[in-house]
Amino acid sequence: MIPSPAPTGQSAAVRAARRQAVSVAVATGLYGISVGALAVAAGLNIWQTQLLSMVMFTGGSQFALVGVIGAGGLGGAAVASAALLGGRNLLYAVQLGPLLGLRGWRRLLGAHLTIDESTAVALAQPTARPDARRAGFWWAGAGVWVCWNALTLMGTLAGDAMGDPKAWGLDAAAAAAFLGLLWPRLAARRAQATAALAVGIALVTSPWLTPGLPVLASALAALAVGLWPGRAHSGADQEGSP
Amino acid sequence: MTGAAVWVTVGAGCAACLGLKLIGAYLPQSWLARESVARVMNLVTVALLAGLLAVQAAGQGQGLAIDSRLAAVGAAAIALWLRAPFIAVVIIAAAVAAALRALGLP
């Protein structure tokens, strides 16, 4: 084996991380169009929609907040749905803390950019290359933020010009967006059971509860399935791998 | 919901979601990193997305309605099965619902 100088090897790994981060940023940014268009259809204005993409900056929670408002639900239910969905970012931030080793304003910025995509790109880099992992995190986080906000604005403007959202099928597009976010999480048997139970809870409680509350009630499916005895500790992860 | 109420909801939602990220970054606690906590949190995400899907696909005010959205979600599922990218899935669903409604279906 020919020994290669360390800097070349490092920068090759970093370049690979950046390339991956940029392609993830572009692909993710594209569906910022749908969050923009759906928010306008749900009754948010352009500033409210853009504030969500700039500050909330976590797609699932944005779709949830907009969905509950659009369904005529209570503000509290909309915020609670968004917060419950955003809870996973807390776990990502805990996981990334030692890896990023940030202080001061960088720590604040790093926390803000902690989302599904930046975490996934960082953790997809080789464990032996912390520099590539950090590069993946920052390039994916910042790249998604820029693309996400630019395309949210485009979606808002397009949604504003479209008129009746139902004639364009935007209500169905919102449902498809949730399905698209859910799909990659359904590999494990427990996840499938949770999703099925959650759909059942939401449908059965819909005629009885104020809009927004059926979605919160569906979260109970996670507790029911998560606490169900069985191969809880190994099963989910093993079934999750392809 | 009034304009002011939407502002309050948007502001509170932003504060909650950003706050959760900051808690994770500034107050790393060992129990949060536990595998069981992570697993339940993953399932909470799955459950909420499934609940949102159900309500968005079949809900109408306080109740249920079967209309073009269900066919659109079926088309979206087929597109996902065929590994279509996210944005294509969303556009296909919108196109199916829009086409069915143009034909006069609810």
Side-chain angles (χ1 to χ4, degrees), chain A residues 30-31 34 44 47-48 51-52 55-57 61 64-65 69 73 75 78-79 82-91 93-94 104 107-108 111-112 114-115 166-169 171-183 185 191 194-195 198-199 202-203 206-209 211 215 218 222 226 232-233 237, chain B residues 1 3 6-14 16-18 20-29 32-33 35-64 67-69 72-73 76-77 80-81 86-87 89-90 93-95 97-98 101:
Chain A
L30 276 177
Y31 70 89
S34 49
L44 277 73
W47 305 108
Q48 291 158 343
L51 190 69
L52 287 178
V55 179
M56 182 178 276
F57 186 52
S61 299
L65 188 104
I69 291 177
V79 172
L84 277 171
L85 271 172
R88 67 188 189 285
N89 292 324
L90 186 157
L91 299 178
V94 169
R107 196 172 193 181
L108 197 69
H112 184 42
T114 298
I115 51 171
K166 285 183 81 174
W168 293 86
D171 51 345
F178 289 125
L179 184 62
L181 293 171
L182 177 63
W183 197 268
R185 298 177 179 275
T194 303
V199 166
L203 292 180
S206 270
W208 314 103
L209 299 176
V215 172
S218 69
H233 291 275
D237 289 336
Chain B
M1 204 181 277
V6 174
W7 271 119
V8 170
T9 305
V10 166
C14 286
C17 288
L18 184 54
L20 287 165
K21 293 176 177 179
L22 291 171
I23 289 171
Y26 282 88
L27 301 172
Q29 291 165 3
L32 287 172
E35 196 249 353
S36 57
V37 175
R39 194 183 61 246
V40 169
M41 193 59 82
N42 276 337
L43 290 181
V44 167
T45 302
V46 167
L48 280 170
L49 289 173
L52 285 160
L53 164 66
V55 167
Q56 190 67 47
Q60 190 163 69
Q62 187 169 338
L64 300 172
D67 56 31
S68 306
R69 289 174 295 173
V73 168
L80 285 163
W81 189 265
F86 184 94
I87 190 70
V89 170
V90 171
R101 283 174 183 150

Side-chain angles (χ1 to χ4, degrees), chain A residues 110-233:
Chain A
H112 184 42
L113 296 181
T114 298
I115 51 171
D116 289 332
E117 289 79 12
S118 56
T119 306
V121 173
L123 298 180
Q125 307 312 313
T127 317
R129 291 289 189 194
D131 55 341
R133 295 187 135 200
R134 284 193 288 270
F137 172 82
W138 287 111
W139 280 70
V144 170
W145 194 88
V146 170
C147 296
W148 183 250
N149 276 283
L151 287 147
T152 298
L153 182 61
M154 277 180 56
T156 317
L157 298 174
D160 225 7
M162 282 164 98
D164 178 18
K166 285 183 81 174
W168 293 86
L170 282 189
D171 51 345
F178 289 125
L179 184 62
L181 293 171
L182 177 63
W183 197 268
R185 298 177 179 275
L186 288 180
R189 195 70 53 81
R190 261 173 203 271
Q192 294 165 5
T194 303
L197 185 57
V199 166
I201 292 173
L203 292 180
V204 168
T205 58
S206 270
W208 314 103
L209 299 176
T210 307
L213 295 185
V215 172
L216 290 180
S218 69
L220 295 174
L223 283 181
V225 176
L227 301 178
W228 194 264
R231 297 177 305 118
H233 291 275

